[in-house]
């Protein structure tokens, strides 16, 4: 299940093209639940891409620098040590 919260964005549809209109200080939130597939691969010369897909084909990709990947790995290890989720 993909949850996409675009807040107060405004889009314009003109000649078949979608364009954001308005201030550039907006933000969005994307959440993907019930992940069925995970892929980790290099992305360019400097980053690692994490790709997640659910069973209906929704996909979220995140490109991280090595220090961010290490932080994610530390966080997963902390959850592994402090909870019984992995038992």
């Amino acid at each position: 299940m993909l949850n996409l919260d675009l807040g107060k964005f405004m889009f314009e549809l003109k000649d078949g093209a979608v364009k954001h209109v308005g201030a550039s200080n907006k933000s969005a939130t994307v959440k993907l639940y019930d992940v069925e597939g995970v892929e980790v691969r290099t992305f360019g010369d400097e980053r690692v891409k994490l790709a997640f897909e659910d069973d209906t084909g929704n996909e979220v990709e995140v490109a991280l620098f090595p220090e961010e990947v290490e932080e994610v790995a530390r966080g997963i290890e902390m959850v592994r040590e402090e909870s019984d989720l992995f038992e």
Side-chain angles (χ1 to χ4, degrees):
M1 173 179 64
L2 181 70
N3 180 306
L4 177 60
D5 181 1
L6 295 174
K8 297 181 179 189
F9 277 87
M10 185 183 311
F11 295 95
E12 171 183 274
L13 179 60
K14 183 175 180 182
D15 299 325
V18 177
K19 174 183 167 187
H20 173 256
V21 293
S24 61
N25 62 349
K26 305 292 187 220
S27 64
T29 301
V30 176
K31 298 177 183 180
L32 183 65
Y33 299 97
D34 305 322
V35 172
E36 295 284 327
V38 176
E39 184 179 349
V40 179
R41 61 184 180 273
T42 58
F43 181 68
D45 292 338
E46 299 180 352
R47 293 187 268 175
V48 174
K49 183 181 281 186
L50 307 176
F52 306 94
E53 186 175 351
D54 69 7
D55 62 349
T56 59
N58 296 309
E59 187 175 319
V60 173
E61 294 182 351
V62 180
L64 303 173
F65 290 105
E67 53 275 3
E68 297 165 330
V69 173
E70 290 170 355
E71 185 62 31
V72 170
R74 278 192 292 276
I76 292 170
E77 191 57 37
M78 187 175 10
V79 169
R80 184 184 296 272
E81 292 172 359
E82 296 177 358
S83 74
D84 58 357
L85 287 174
F86 291 92
E87 293 180 0

